[in-house]
Amino acid sequence: MQGSKRVLIVSHGPFPTPEQTRVEGGGLRCWGLARGLKDNNPGLHVTVVHHESYSRPNPTTESEGIRIATWNHETIAAMAREFDSVVVSYCMGEAAVRLIRGLQSHQQLILDCYVPIFVEVPARESSDLLREQAGYLREFPTWTEPLRRGDFFLVASAEQERFYRGVLSAMGRINPLTYGRSMLLQVPYGIDRGDPVAEDRPISRLVGDPSVKKVLWFGGMYPWFDARGLVDAMARVNEKRPARLVIVGARNPFNEQPDLLARYHEFVDYVNRPEYKGLVILQDWVDYRRRGDWYLDADLIVTVNRPGEENALSWRTRLVDFAWAGVPVATNGGDPLGEALIASGAAARFDGLEPAEIAATIGRLLGDDATTSAIRGNLARFKRRLYWDVVTAPMARVIESGERAPDLLLDLSTAPTSTAASPGRIGKVVRLARKVPAYLRKHGPRATAAMARQYLARRLRIDASGAPGRRPAIVAMAHRLDCSGAPFVLVDALAEMVDRGLSSQIRLFSHPPVHGSNLDRLAGLGLTTTLLPDPDAVPSFVPGDVVLMNTTGFSHASRSAVLNALDRGIVKKMFWYVHEDAPGRIFDPTETAAIRRRINEGKLEIVTLSRQARENYRAHFGTEIGIEPHRVDLPERYRCVRDPSDFEKIRFILPGTFLDGRKGQHAILYALSAFHRHHFEPDRESYREFTLSFVGIEDDWYSRQVVRHQRILGDRLILHPKVSREESLEFIREANVTICYSQSETLPVFVVEGMLAGHPILRNDCSGVEEQLEPGRNGFLLDTEDFWQVVGTFERLLNRWKTSDDCLAEMSARSHAIAMKQRANRYETLIDGLRSALLGDPTPPPRPHLLRDRSEARPRFQVRS
């Protein structure tokens, strides 16, 4: 019977059930599809599943006749095989690939193409285009493989239908068997039939003054939205009539992608400028069920899209929700739904995107009740076409029919063939081989090997983790293996583990990016590095594994997957070597409680680098926390104690990429420029000449800002791009004072490197200050909260009469002595804990007197499919 069909809808994020107060667009869309299908055919058995990392206590297991469950990377394939029809986004990464590879030949697959990922990723305008390009190429196969298996494809608009017709045509899915058949179904993001009912006036409460007009921006601040011009425009509007801009949910708590976070932080910095004080009100994400209160309390809702290919293809989720609320909306359009609303008189178009033009439109709408009333009426008529039961009707029909794509049903063994025309496998191999030399010349041997391994793993269905049949191991997980401090520490700890006879028990996994120098060193240790394909992927564990996670920089989903493997008894024990401070900013209350429980059960140990970080983690979790300082050593040519003559000129250095500004480069630049203006220029005779070097300049917004402001110090500011560790050490050797003004680091590696090179240090109070700074003896303390104290510290150090060359030479000697003691660290607490957990043997074997020669070892790594 058609009505008894079983349908599975897969989401990454959670659904709007009572225990979930925060939900995002993907989970809401899947829930809307499920409800629409049930409305069209109540006999369907619909199940929706989200990733288990979003589980909450007392979870809802059924609502409105829809079953709710969870999945993880190990269960998703087997779960999907139990259903007649499976609905999943084609761009869900490894999870979608695993699911699809596990489907049986008779199962119907409907791919949700609502997100045009092929243009959305480029539209992020990454600060690191090379990294973004590498990620794009890495993810690309995980998007195209599902499209080769899909029976039907859900799109949001006619524009998306044309786009995906081209995509499918290029992939051979529009072929003689499918030509003229409608595989593309227009199923946009929809809305509920019920209208919102206001139970509160949250915006009015925030604004306080009933005479003030309330303009609302609701939703994340992504690269394809640009609200800075809107802020400028609101300042103009406010000059003529009292008005406030309320921004709700600018930061998406479900997405930690660095470029998206950077855009959010840039915007926060922008609205906090003095001239906008009191004009903009920022509000965190709100309970999904209460969003209607915010919509209905606004006089006008606004959204500003960045023109481009992404905008021309995207069906704006937030715009759909605004239509549901029936509140007047102003937009610049360019997107399919925005244009449709404007054409129907259900939204207003900005006169232009210049602040004056945006201000003119907002001012006109806030003062024209007749126009806004007409928009409300047109919205009420327009939104009827967006009801979930209406938009899902085509989808319900194909599920009921069980129809499949004819080209997927063809048995090619019965089709006529021509040996002359058929390329065959040999032909494909030959063509692939011809491409290798050009790829090798362009990308080098390591990238070529990675691409080849990834291709073979994908074609041969290889699980590069080697999990089936292997013995329990120490599974070391790196969030990246680039040239930053945390990967350096992990590689150093692994080298010590190998020296202690544990090489055969180690399995190493890393997310990209990776750097060749780390791969070379690991290969020299005899360790193979397995690359995980996407940020949420985790290794395939076997019962008895002991996990070592390096840093907290993993995605929420991957952290949860490891913790759940711990609960299921697959992972025997987990050691978390954390390099970040401020645990309250890293772990939300739910994750904190889950981690605390596992620590108390003896399944998890957190190990920090410094005493201050240990105390902060103790206070946060209320449990015992371990401590294991890293070991930093430099080749002898970089280690020295400096003579007084070396300090006739001060050469400051602050290494590290800019990321989201957490290393404090901007504060240091502006403090040193303030010293230059207020002290150095009026009295040059009293001060040493100086330079400031930043190492790690990229194409991100923070780096660009420094480049634009370079003239405030002129030739005294030296900017170096992101370089290898060896090149960075050369810059440190050339400098003579290291600066650390970090907001979250723990025992920064670059500070120890500077100390070994004989640098006095200027350091703030981020974790590890007790281990690295003796104020007045090897440097000076910088006040994180007091900008002018930092300026004063520069004045004190650079003043010849206040801090002599001899004094700085004494600081150099003291820095060097402190750092030399840390060379004795051997990670013994961490390694003994790992050994004991894996082998049940707390006593380490004696070290070998002679270590094998690794000089001829060749780099070895693999890519997990």
Side-chain angles (χ1 to χ4, degrees):
M1 185 173 77
Q2 290 180 340
S4 64
K5 287 188 177 294
R6 296 161 299 171
V7 182
L8 176 69
I9 302 178
V10 182
S11 169
H12 186 269
F15 313 112
T17 50
E19 71 276 10
Q20 300 285 354
T21 59
R22 291 182 171 183
V23 291
E24 47 80 47
L28 293 174
R29 174 164 171 81
C30 289
W31 185 248
L33 293 176
R35 292 182 62 195
L37 291 176
K38 287 292 288 185
D39 286 342
N40 278 282
N41 186 346
L44 290 175
H45 299 299
V46 181
T47 298
V48 293
V49 292
H50 64 74
H51 192 269
E52 64 182 15
S53 62
Y54 296 104
S55 296
R56 296 291 180 265
N58 303 314
T60 302
T61 57
E62 185 171 337
S63 178
E64 301 181 47
I66 301 166
R67 182 172 173 267
I68 303 171
T70 62
W71 62 269
N72 60 47
H73 282 81
E74 306 303 324
T75 63
I76 187 65
M79 178 185 296
R81 284 195 289 270
E82 302 299 318
F83 293 84
D84 301 299
S85 299
V86 177
V87 184
V88 65
S89 169
Y90 77 101
C91 55
M92 220 162 85
E94 184 190 15
V97 172
R98 287 192 178 202
L99 180 155
I100 288 158
R101 289 178 180 177
L103 289 179
Q104 302 176 73
S105 58
H106 70 275
Q107 289 181 275
Q108 182 189 62
L109 176 64
I110 299 176
L111 293 172
D112 193 0
C113 302
Y114 167 76
V115 175
I117 196 70
F118 296 105
V119 295
E120 184 171 296
V121 171
R124 290 175 186 165
E125 295 190 346
S126 172
S127 60
D128 186 341
L129 291 178
L130 292 179
R131 182 198 69 197
E132 190 79 336
Q133 176 71 356
Y136 185 89
L137 294 176
R138 185 175 63 250
E139 295 293 325
F140 191 86
T142 71
W143 305 332
T144 55
E145 183 173 337
L147 295 175
R148 294 189 177 94
R149 172 58 177 86
D151 293 293
F152 290 92
F153 307 88
L154 307 183
V155 298
S157 64
E159 290 80 2
Q160 282 195 6
E161 185 172 346
R162 287 191 292 271
F163 173 75
Y164 282 108
R165 189 176 291 119
V167 172
L168 295 177
S169 178
M171 296 182 63
R173 290 305 312 277
I174 296 181
N175 52 54
L177 292 174
T178 61
Y179 182 79
R181 179 178 177 272
S182 180
M183 293 190 296
L184 293 157
L185 308 177
Q186 283 195 37
V187 182
Y189 196 102
I191 61 174
D192 297 330
R193 281 188 174 270
D195 294 329
V197 177
E199 297 181 7
D200 189 15
R201 301 192 66 190
I203 301 179
S204 298
R205 193 167 56 252
L206 288 173
V207 171
D209 185 346
S211 67
V212 172
K213 292 292 185 179
K214 297 160 292 186
V215 179
L216 174 66
W217 174 290
F218 196 99
M221 201 59 62
Y222 306 126
W224 42 88
F225 296 115
D226 191 352
R228 287 176 296 183
L230 174 63
V231 175
D232 298 340
M234 284 300 299
R236 294 170 182 253
V237 173
N238 190 50
E239 291 174 357
K240 297 182 178 180
R241 61 160 50 85
R244 297 292 181 270
L245 176 61
V246 179
I247 297 178
V248 178
R251 177 173 179 173
N252 184 344
F254 296 92
N255 197 321
E256 298 297 318
Q257 205 277 336
D259 295 305
L260 303 188
L261 285 178
R263 177 54 56 88
Y264 163 75
H265 289 299
E266 289 167 17
F267 181 74
V268 172
D269 289 343
Y270 193 81
V271 301
N272 284 333
R273 289 163 58 173
E275 61 264 37
Y276 299 134
K277 185 177 181 180
L279 178 70
V280 181
I281 300 172
L282 293 174
Q283 168 68 38
D284 197 5
W285 275 47
V286 299
D287 188 332
Y288 168 77
R289 290 174 291 274
R290 299 268 60 84
R291 72 194 192 285
D293 292 339
W294 294 83
Y295 297 156
L296 297 176
D297 197 20
D299 296 300
L300 179 68
I301 303 179
V302 293
T303 181
V304 181
N305 310 318
R306 175 165 290 176
E309 295 175 17
E310 185 276 339
N311 191 44
L313 287 172
S314 292
W315 188 264
R316 299 293 182 203
T317 304
R318 62 186 64 185
L319 208 50
V320 178
D321 220 32
F322 301 159
W324 165 71
V327 179
V329 176
T331 175
N332 61 310
D335 60 295
L337 179 57
E339 290 298 322
L341 287 169
I342 292 169
S344 300
R349 189 194 301 275
F350 287 121
D351 296 341
L353 290 182
E354 292 299 320
E357 296 169 319
I358 296 175
T361 305
I362 293 175
R364 187 168 59 250
L365 291 171
L366 292 178
D368 188 348
D369 292 340
T371 298
T372 54
S373 178
I375 290 175
R376 291 178 188 274
N378 293 329
L379 264 175
R381 288 183 287 275
F382 183 94
K383 70 180 186 180
R384 297 168 188 164
R385 69 182 78 173
L386 298 176
Y387 293 144
W388 277 116
D389 58 303
V390 174
V391 300
T392 56
M395 181 182 175
R397 286 193 291 271
V398 299
I399 289 175
E400 292 163 6
S401 69
E403 187 178 353
R404 299 287 315 286
D407 58 335
L408 300 181
L409 301 175
L410 176 67
D411 182 357
L412 289 176
S413 65
T414 65
T417 60
S418 168
T419 55
S422 175
R425 291 190 177 184
I426 294 177
K428 291 180 180 178
V429 171
V430 169
R431 287 200 303 273
L432 180 63
R434 288 173 179 167
K435 298 178 180 179
V436 170
Y439 197 92
L440 181 65
R441 287 193 300 271
K442 183 175 182 180
H443 299 283
R446 184 169 289 103
T448 305
M451 187 60 69
R453 290 175 187 272
Q454 190 173 28
Y455 177 85
L456 291 173
R458 192 167 66 248
R459 289 298 180 188
L460 301 178
R461 304 295 191 259
I462 294 174
D463 183 355
S465 70
R470 71 166 171 82
R471 292 183 176 181
I474 296 171
V475 179
M477 296 176 59
H479 77 304
R480 59 179 57 192
L481 282 173
D482 59 7
C483 293
S484 55
F488 165 80
V489 173
L490 176 63
V491 173
D492 192 52
L494 291 173
E496 188 68 20
M497 293 162 76
V498 169
D499 287 351
R500 295 180 63 174
L502 289 172
S503 61
S504 62
Q505 277 87 37
I506 298 171
R507 300 290 182 271
L508 174 60
F509 297 82
S510 178
H511 297 285
V514 298
H515 193 270
S517 61
N518 284 326
L519 295 177
D520 288 342
R521 187 180 181 197
L522 290 163
L525 295 170
L527 299 179
T528 297
T529 305
T530 300
L531 302 183
L532 297 168
D534 68 62
D536 292 340
V538 296
S540 295
F541 302 114
V542 301
D545 276 345
V546 176
V547 171
L548 169 61
M549 288 186 74
N550 190 53
T551 87
T552 62
F554 296 87
S555 72
H556 185 273
S558 59
R559 296 196 312 235
S560 297
V562 177
L563 293 174
N564 285 320
L566 200 62
D567 280 346
R568 296 197 303 271
I570 298 173
V571 170
K572 186 177 180 181
K573 190 163 184 176
M574 173 181 167
F575 291 80
W576 207 334
Y577 199 15
V578 299
H579 298 248
E580 301 83 4
D581 203 353
R585 296 183 179 180
I586 301 170
F587 305 104
D588 63 30
T590 300
E591 193 172 15
T592 296
I595 291 171
R596 182 186 298 116
R597 173 173 61 82
R598 292 170 176 95
I599 293 175
N600 290 331
E601 292 172 350
K603 297 179 179 179
L604 169 62
E605 290 188 25
I606 291 180
V607 182
T608 63
L609 290 163
S610 71
R611 293 191 291 271
Q612 181 179 335
R614 179 175 62 179
E615 293 309 312
N616 291 339
Y617 276 77
R618 276 177 174 170
H620 182 76
F621 288 105
T623 62
E624 188 53 48
I625 300 295
I627 184 170
E628 186 70 272
H630 54 55
R631 172 181 61 187
V632 180
D633 196 5
L634 300 183
E636 188 173 353
R637 66 181 181 276
Y638 295 114
R639 301 197 306 262
C640 70
V641 174
R642 297 178 184 259
D643 295 327
S645 61
D646 194 40
F647 294 103
E648 292 178 1
K649 178 179 180 179
I650 300 300
R651 300 178 297 279
F652 296 110
I653 189 168
L654 200 171
T657 54
F658 280 66
L659 296 173
D660 54 6
R662 71 183 68 175
K663 284 186 178 288
Q665 291 99 327
H666 284 92
I668 293 301
L669 173 60
Y670 300 141
L672 198 51
S673 66
F675 156 78
H676 179 265
R677 178 179 179 182
H678 295 290
H679 299 282
F680 185 86
E681 285 293 346
D683 185 14
R684 290 194 176 213
E685 294 300 319
S686 296
Y687 297 99
R688 298 176 177 87
E689 189 55 75
F690 68 93
T691 60
L692 170 63
S693 294
F694 288 146
V695 183
I697 290 286
E698 299 179 85
D699 193 33
D700 58 272
W701 290 105
Y702 286 94
S703 295
R704 291 181 196 174
Q705 203 168 31
V706 167
V707 172
R708 284 197 290 265
H709 292 179
Q710 187 171 6
R711 64 179 179 273
I712 63 178
L713 285 180
D715 295 339
R716 293 182 178 86
L717 179 60
I718 303 170
L719 304 179
H720 298 289
K722 193 174 182 179
V723 297
S724 67
R725 182 168 183 259
E726 288 71 22
E727 293 173 290
S728 180
L729 291 178
E730 290 292 339
F731 294 139
I732 289 173
R733 180 165 62 176
E734 294 168 6
N736 57 13
V737 175
T738 292
I739 301 173
C740 172
Y741 203 64
S742 175
Q743 306 302 305
S744 65
E745 285 181 280
T746 300
L747 209 68
V749 169
F750 73 87
V751 174
V752 187
E753 292 170 341
M755 294 166 70
L756 286 170
H759 290 196
I761 61 173
L762 300 180
R763 194 192 192 288
N764 70 338
D765 59 354
C766 70
S767 287
V769 64
E770 298 174 10
E771 290 89 342
Q772 293 180 336
L773 178 65
E774 297 176 0
R777 295 195 64 196
N778 75 315
F780 298 114
L781 181 68
L782 301 177
D783 192 328
T784 306
E785 306 296 331
D786 188 344
F787 174 82
W788 292 108
Q789 186 273 344
V790 178
V791 176
T793 303
F794 280 128
E795 194 279 333
R796 177 182 179 185
L797 185 142
L798 289 165
N799 191 310
R800 300 177 188 277
W801 316 117
K802 294 182 179 179
T803 307
S804 67
D805 295 348
D806 289 336
C807 178
L808 289 172
E810 292 173 5
M811 289 183 174
S812 170
R814 185 57 188 159
S815 271
H816 188 264
I818 294 171
M820 288 294 283
K821 291 180 181 179
Q822 295 189 15
R823 297 172 64 220
N825 295 337
R826 291 292 183 267
Y827 308 100
E828 291 179 354
T829 302
L830 182 65
I831 295 174
D832 290 348
L834 289 164
R835 177 193 294 278
S836 177
L838 181 68
L839 305 176
D841 176 15
T843 305
R847 294 195 187 190
H849 295 289
L850 296 174
L851 300 179
R852 60 189 177 84
D853 182 8
R854 304 184 185 112
S855 60
E856 297 182 358
R858 302 181 66 183
R860 298 192 298 131
F861 69 102
Q862 57 191 10
V863 179
R864 179 171 170 187
S865 174

